[in-house]
Amino acid sequence: MSRDDELMKMRYGTLDSNDAANRDVYDDSDWEVRILWFSALASISRVSHVKRHGIVFTTDEVRSFYSNSDNCKNCLCSLSSILVNVKTGEIVEKPLLERMLAAQKKHLESK
Ligand SMILES: [Zn+2]
């Protein structure tokens, strides 16, 4: 299996387990597991990937991004599960998000 395929397999595993948790655990609650996007913020990272750094997506939004096979090629991004209150928008790891967005801004400005 190529490195790209291996990474995509891991990403789809994360998406599948999030969907299962939302269905089986959080179904009747205000909470939902979503995906916090981490770009590697590397010199070779594409701007379209860097721009997702520190942003929270639904699993469908992530699947849609990777349904474009160009986005799967040489992608170093990683996906992390994050708990979001769908009613209030509250995110459990807010300080982390703020640090990530600051790093993203710095990276884009250095281009
Ligand atoms: Zn990427």
Side-chain angles (χ1 to χ4, degrees):
M1 208 190 281
S2 77
R3 187 157 176 264
D4 283 347
D5 289 344
E6 218 167 285
L7 287 169
M8 284 316 301
K9 201 180 159 196
M10 272 176 49
R11 293 184 187 112
Y12 284 125
T14 302
L15 297 175
D16 290 344
S17 68
N18 274 23
D19 285 343
N22 286 331
R23 192 177 54 233
D24 302 337
V25 183
Y26 298 109
D27 190 28
D28 291 329
S29 76
D30 294 345
W31 296 89
E32 190 176 294
V33 193
R34 293 203 175 154
I35 294 293
L36 172 60
W37 198 280
F38 281 82
S39 161
L41 301 182
S43 57
I44 57 158
S45 293
R46 283 155 280 185
V47 170
S48 59
H49 292 227
V50 169
K51 283 194 168 158
R52 299 172 77 87
H53 185 74
I55 313 284
V56 176
F57 297 94
T58 65
T59 52
D60 284 347
E61 288 168 336
V62 175
R63 284 197 176 88
S64 154
F65 181 80
Y66 284 120
S67 68
N68 176 347
S69 60
D70 276 350
N71 285 334
C72 306
K73 282 180 201 139
N74 302 315
C75 176
L76 301 173
C77 300
S78 43
L79 310 177
S80 181
S81 301
I82 189 169
L83 204 51
V84 177
N85 186 310
V86 288
K87 283 221 174 104
T88 64
E90 182 196 347
I91 288 164
V92 178
E93 291 89 347
K94 192 108 194 292
L96 169 65
L97 287 196
E98 281 159 4
R99 283 203 306 278
M100 287 179 73
L101 291 172
Q104 176 205 53
K105 191 164 175 256
K106 207 172 142 203
H107 180 88
L108 289 171
E109 281 169 359
S110 71
K111 290 257 171 195

